[in-house]
Amino acid sequence: MAGSKKEIGTGFITEVDRYLFNNGRHYEIFEKMGAHPKKYKGKNGMYFAVWAPHAEQIGVVGDFNSWDPEANAMMPLADSGIWEAFVPGIAAGELYKYAITTKSGKILFKADPYAFSAEYRPGTASLTTDLSDFQWGDDAWMDKRGSADPMNSPMSIYEVHLGSWRRKNRPEKDGCYTYVEAAKELADYVTDMGYTHVELMGIAEHPYDGSWGYQVTGYFAPTSRYGTPQEFMYFINYMHKKGIGVILDWVPAHFPRDAHGLSEFDGEALYEYADPRKGEHPDWGT
């Protein structure tokens, strides 16, 4: 059975990938899951992969197919709960979701948990992107970090929430600084104050501003409130070139119940405990 299912796959996710994923030891799984520009059978397009072991069927939907759940069906890969599809003709900048048909026949429209980019709120779709063309310039920083002794090096951290640190007098995105705008001013401030590191609060994609980024719907997507993934990469690159380390907060303990997010992702408890005594934070609604 495993052999027959493996043969109909694209080959982008291998048997070794699935083995490591099933054992919780695929530490570069973000390179496989989500949406990635690929060439398949001579055609350029986008490869999609999502984990939904309880689903009856899944379709990739977006403006490119009028959000039709049956237009671009995904296929299950053996022994993994992973579904995949290659959609030719799609490039970066396309909104998309997964239309997941549950065992009860209900169709759930879910954002991609592994997406690198997301639609700006109140939109809830994921966004295809291509990160391959960014040119990093932080080799000196990375070399220095690799040879440093962290146990005996001075460390002083400036924790900051980008959305409320400083704002511009403009209506776009509530005046929030972009990643590019914040980079220079924040680097100058941190350097003047003698800090060695910046710690960004709740930078992963989240639907509710009031959570300060601590109710996440996209763990691999820097929030679109402040710009694109490439602009976020610019921010990191700039900080490193100025000799400043960057620490990212992330939230493994809870996520919101928003319909497009991780809650009952494929119609059943998947990312959460099925038992509500463990699976719910009643005080937070997460």
Side-chain angles (χ1 to χ4, degrees), residues 226-242:
Y226 318 129
T228 67
Q230 291 80 1
E231 290 171 330
F232 178 68
M233 294 160 86
Y234 173 93
F235 177 93
I236 302 293
N237 192 54
Y238 189 92
M239 289 292 169
H240 284 178
K241 290 168 72 173
K242 293 295 183 179

Side-chain angles (χ1 to χ4, degrees), residues 51-56 58 81 100-103 108 110 262-270:
W51 184 52
H54 305 122
E56 286 295 305
I58 307 178
I100 300 175
T101 302
T102 69
K103 291 178 180 178
L108 308 175
K110 292 287 189 175
L262 300 178
S263 179
E264 295 188 342
F265 185 78
D266 56 3
E268 300 182 28
L270 185 63

Side-chain angles (χ1 to χ4, degrees), residues 40-51:
Y40 182 61
K41 293 184 176 179
K43 295 182 178 180
N44 292 318
M46 198 68 60
Y47 173 77
F48 298 90
V50 65
W51 184 52

Side-chain angles (χ1 to χ4, degrees), residues 175-192:
C176 291
Y177 272 45
T178 67
Y179 293 116
V180 173
E181 291 169 341
K184 184 179 188 306
E185 290 193 29
L186 189 56
D188 288 346
Y189 178 79
V190 167
T191 300
D192 290 344

Side-chain angles (χ1 to χ4, degrees), residues 224-285:
S224 57
R225 287 165 176 79
Y226 318 129
T228 67
Q230 291 80 1
E231 290 171 330
F232 178 68
M233 294 160 86
Y234 173 93
F235 177 93
I236 302 293
N237 192 54
Y238 189 92
M239 289 292 169
H240 284 178
K241 290 168 72 173
K242 293 295 183 179
I244 302 165
V246 183
I247 300 169
L248 305 181
D249 282 11
W250 72 289
V251 190
H254 60 99
F255 48 80
R257 299 176 183 273
D258 295 60
H260 70 285
L262 300 178
S263 179
E264 295 188 342
F265 185 78
D266 56 3
E268 300 182 28
L270 185 63
Y271 292 99
E272 70 271 42
Y273 282 103
D275 185 339
R277 291 174 297 178
K278 290 185 175 181
E280 295 183 8
H281 288 281
D283 294 336
W284 301 338

